[in-house]
Amino acid sequence: MSPTQIAALIAAGAFVLLVLLLAIPLLKLARTLDEATVAIRKAHENTDPLLHGANDTITHVNTQLERVDGITANAQAVSGNVSALSSVFTATLGGPLVKTAALSYGVSKAVRARRKAKAEGTNKHVLRRVRGGKR
């Protein structure tokens, strides 16, 4: 055997050893890819009902939101009506009510002053001074 043939045999042996050492990680990688494929397939099968359920839920939520929009619009209309009614009430009854309250306050004050003067037994001059007159 010549030195070239021996070198070729060593190189062939090293190449076989290299192929064997690389074959083990490649086989493990192939198993990992097979398991990943199975996991993806199972996940796809399990997500189909989940997506259908989510779609049903979103449809239900959209229906409820449409109802809430209607309720909100009605509440806004009621709020506007109450505001208008309050303005009308203030405009029509506010002025007369203030005048009536002032009149009743003045009358009650005069009645109290008269009762006080009567209770003290004073004459008309004192009563006029209590009311604020200058005669």
Side-chain angles (χ1 to χ4, degrees):
M1 253 195 176
S2 73
T4 311
Q5 290 175 342
I6 294 175
L9 277 175
I10 292 174
F15 184 72
V16 169
L17 186 63
L18 180 67
V19 168
L20 288 176
L21 289 176
L22 290 177
I24 294 170
L26 286 175
L27 289 174
K28 288 183 179 180
L29 181 63
R31 277 191 236 137
T32 304
L33 287 176
D34 288 340
E35 289 180 18
T37 304
V38 170
I40 290 172
R41 187 174 296 126
K42 285 182 182 178
H44 176 66
E45 290 171 359
N46 291 337
T47 57
D48 207 24
L50 181 67
L51 291 176
H52 286 296
N55 192 19
D56 292 341
T57 302
I58 289 172
T59 303
H60 181 68
V61 167
N62 284 338
T63 304
Q64 295 298 323
L65 283 175
E66 288 174 7
R67 288 181 184 168
V68 168
D69 285 344
I71 291 170
T72 304
N74 289 338
Q76 186 178 10
V78 167
S79 174
N81 290 340
V82 167
S83 175
L85 182 63
S86 173
S87 297
V88 168
F89 179 78
T90 302
T92 57
L93 297 178
L97 280 177
V98 170
K99 290 177 184 177
T100 305
L103 178 68
S104 66
Y105 177 74
V107 169
S108 68
K109 192 168 183 178
V111 168
R112 272 191 243 123
R114 185 174 284 253
R115 285 183 185 162
K116 184 177 177 184
K118 201 173 193 181
E120 292 175 358
T122 59
N123 57 21
K124 291 183 179 180
H125 297 292
V126 175
L127 183 61
R128 285 186 184 151
R129 269 191 266 142
V130 170
R131 281 198 254 157
K134 293 183 180 179
R135 288 192 186 178

